[in-house]
């Protein structure tokens, strides 16, 4: 039930800090460490390449997951859209494992790939919010999201739950592959949960940004580099899905290879700057679009901020920034859609779970 909330989407955005804490509880062992199923760990230790398969928002979580697994477990990862993979399968490695990410566990495009890879005899893990769902039943192993039912068509808390579960998987798999432990996940996810609370208490700020930048906008660009680029893709999907504003996520450095031609006076460009190594580079990209008249909005992170940034996120571990940087984008999309009179929870032409290929 929505309770006092006007929309499920807003309620589900607000639930994210609690979901982080539930995930910590669910994966914590007696020693207080986060642990994955020993069979999954063994499979991760034996594979030479992971193939992540997903659609939409779950695909965007998969892109972040690639980064986490490669950095923490040192296993190469490819991320594929289910609807593409099924028809144009890449050359597989000798010992692949497949990770299916799906909130509903019912997405037909993902299921079609799962059926195919099981026929080929490969190991499959499903990360889903729904125990007993088709993708969970048909895979060898399941990791649950513990996010509680997600009702709004626009996925919010499932995305952050997916990223958190992928962080746990990556970090514990690192023990199986002998990678050096780099992330104290219990501690860092705790910090993330508090940062999420701060953001959920800053709604007026994001409502103001939505009004200022998107009230009359026809289009909007989200730019970032490294993992901020992946979060930008998710921000763009959220905005187009519920507000019907044409939105695109771009890698900052790629703009000059074509897309910058679209920048006009007042084109909104929302930039994420949460990564130390590319902080200078993304800011240079912001200057490039600002010089062509764009209305730029920089969302940065404590420690990396510069005067003029529109919002500074509380600092979290560099590998976990998507868990917090996505929240402003979810809220900006929510308010943009609300102000335009859109049906926030049930956008046109869309279903919560896409059970046809
Ligand atoms: O249930 P799934 O995670 O498999 O769904 C995948 C996509 O259909 C879903 O994430 C979709 O993109 C959302 N509506 C985005 O908010």
């Amino acid at each position: 039930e929505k309770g006092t909330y006007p929309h499920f989407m807003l309620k589900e955005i607000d639930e994210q800090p609690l979901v982080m804490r539930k995930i910590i509880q669910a994966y914590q062992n007696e020693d207080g460490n986060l642990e994955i199923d020993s069979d999954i760990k063994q499979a991760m230790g034996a594979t030479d390449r992971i193939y992540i398969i997903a659609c939409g928002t779950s695909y965007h979580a998969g892109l972040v997951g690639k980064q986490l697994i490669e950095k923490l477990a040192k296993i190469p990862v490819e991320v594929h859209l289910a609807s593409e993979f099924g028809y144009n399968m890449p050359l597989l490695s000798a010992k692949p494992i497949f990770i299916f990410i799906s909130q509903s566990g019912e997405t037909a495009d993902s299921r079609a790939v799962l059926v195919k890879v099981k026929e080929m005899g490969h190991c499959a893990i499903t990360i889903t919010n729904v125990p007993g769902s088709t993708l969970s039943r048909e895979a060898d192993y399941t990791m649950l999201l513990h996010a509680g039912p997600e009702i709004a068509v626009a996925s919010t808390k499932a995305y952050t739950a997916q990223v958190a579960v992928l962080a746990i998987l990556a970090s514990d798999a690192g023990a199986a592959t002998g990678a050096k432990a780099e992330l104290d996940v219990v501690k860092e996810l705790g910090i993330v949960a508090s940062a999420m609370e701060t953001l959920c208490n800053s709604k007026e700020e994001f409502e103001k940004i939505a009004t200022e930048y998107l009230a009359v906008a026809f289009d909007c660009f989200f730019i970032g580099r490294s993992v901020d680029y992946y979060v930008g893709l998710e921000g763009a999907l959220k905005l187009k899905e519920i507000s019907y504003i044409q939105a695109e996520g771009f890698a900052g450095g790629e703009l000059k290879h074509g897309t910058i031609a679209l920048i006009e006076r007042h084109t909104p460009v929302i930039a994420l700057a949460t990564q130390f190594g590319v902080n200078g580079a993304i800011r240079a990209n912001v200057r490039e679009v600002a010089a062509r008249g764009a209305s730029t909005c920089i969302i940065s992170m404590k420690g990396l901020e510069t005067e003029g940034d529109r919002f500074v996120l509380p600092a979290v571990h560099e590998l976990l920034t998507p868990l917090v940087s996505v929240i402003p984008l979810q809220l900006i999309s929510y308010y943009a859609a609300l102000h335009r009179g859109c049906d926030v929870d049930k956008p046109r032409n869309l279903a919560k779970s896409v059970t046809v290929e």
Side-chain angles (χ1 to χ4, degrees):
E1 256 318 297
K2 281 201 292 244
T4 53
Y5 283 94
H7 297 100
F8 280 107
M9 184 179 176
L10 196 61
K11 173 170 178 270
E12 290 162 5
I13 290 173
D14 266 358
E15 283 170 353
Q16 292 176 104
L18 184 65
V19 172
M20 291 301 111
R21 297 195 173 105
K22 284 204 170 140
I23 290 173
I24 297 174
Q25 261 174 16
Y27 286 94
Q28 210 158 23
N29 63 18
E30 290 122 40
D31 309 330
N33 297 318
L34 299 187
E35 201 175 51
I36 58 173
D37 181 285
S38 56
D39 292 334
I40 299 182
K41 199 158 155 175
Q42 209 179 352
M44 296 284 281
T47 186
D48 61 352
R49 186 170 290 256
I50 294 169
Y51 296 81
I52 293 180
I53 311 290
C55 310
T57 289
S58 298
Y59 170 76
H60 296 151
L63 294 172
V64 177
K66 170 186 164 74
Q67 177 111 332
L68 287 163
I69 296 170
E70 292 194 337
K71 296 234 156 99
L72 295 172
K74 314 279 188 240
I75 308 168
V77 181
E78 290 181 21
V79 193
H80 293 271
L81 291 167
S83 56
E84 284 296 312
F85 189 94
Y87 298 99
N88 189 13
M89 208 179 275
L91 193 58
L92 298 181
S93 67
K95 292 180 281 176
I97 11 181
F98 286 81
I99 299 180
F100 292 84
I101 307 178
S102 174
Q103 188 284 131
S104 62
E106 301 298 340
T107 299
D109 288 326
S110 299
R111 181 172 181 242
V113 178
L114 176 57
V115 169
K116 233 173 238 177
V117 303
K118 285 314 298 166
E119 274 167 14
M120 294 164 78
H122 299 309
C123 174
I125 302 167
T126 288
I127 298 180
T128 183
N129 203 21
V130 185
S133 56
T134 308
L135 283 163
S136 167
R137 282 186 278 109
E138 294 180 352
D140 299 277
Y141 310 109
T142 296
M143 291 182 76
L144 290 176
L145 296 177
H146 301 283
E150 192 181 63
I151 310 291
V153 165
S155 184
T156 54
K157 63 177 178 171
Y159 171 85
T160 42
Q162 286 161 347
V163 171
V165 168
L166 284 160
I168 295 169
L169 173 71
S171 169
D172 204 24
T177 58
K180 195 164 88 336
E182 279 176 46
L183 192 67
D184 178 346
V185 200
V186 179
K187 179 180 143 218
E188 299 300 342
L189 283 181
I191 296 173
V192 162
S194 308
M196 284 175 158
E197 253 151 29
T198 307
L199 296 173
C200 290
N201 291 331
S202 310
K203 292 196 183 68
E204 330 69 62
E205 259 317 296
F206 304 122
E207 180 162 19
K208 266 193 235 154
I209 294 177
T211 310
E212 210 175 299
Y213 288 85
L214 300 171
V216 293
F218 294 107
D219 53 3
C220 177
F221 294 91
F222 291 85
I223 64 168
R225 283 172 174 253
S226 169
V227 83
D228 288 339
Y229 162 46
Y230 304 147
V231 180
L233 294 175
E234 172 57 11
L237 175 60
K238 216 86 305 168
L239 186 65
K240 49 190 154 186
E241 175 175 35
I242 60 169
S243 76
Y244 317 139
I245 298 171
Q246 162 70 31
E248 296 303 330
F250 274 95
E254 191 61 15
L255 283 170
K256 60 182 175 296
H257 297 290
T259 309
I260 202 164
L262 292 173
I263 302 292
E264 294 174 1
R265 209 165 131 71
H266 300 315
T267 304
V269 177
I270 299 178
L272 291 179
T274 74
Q275 301 293 304
F276 174 76
V278 291
N279 197 31
I282 190 65
R283 288 171 185 284
N285 298 138
V286 172
R287 286 195 293 276
E288 284 156 17
V289 291
R292 273 110 188 146
S295 300
T296 57
C297 169
I298 301 180
I299 298 177
S300 65
M301 184 158 282
K302 190 94 194 114
L304 297 177
E305 74 271 35
T306 298
E307 221 192 302
D309 290 355
R310 193 62 167 73
F311 192 88
V312 181
L313 301 160
V316 299
H317 192 287
E318 193 165 58
L319 286 173
L320 299 180
T321 58
L323 291 169
V324 298
S325 59
V326 78
I327 292 181
L329 308 190
Q330 295 170 344
L331 284 165
I332 291 168
S333 299
Y334 172 80
Y335 288 113
L338 189 71
H339 296 164
R340 286 175 175 239
C342 302
D343 187 346
V344 173
D345 281 341
K346 287 201 178 71
R348 69 187 181 204
N349 308 341
L350 291 170
K352 179 64 184 162
S353 86
V354 186
T355 53
V356 288
E357 271 184 68

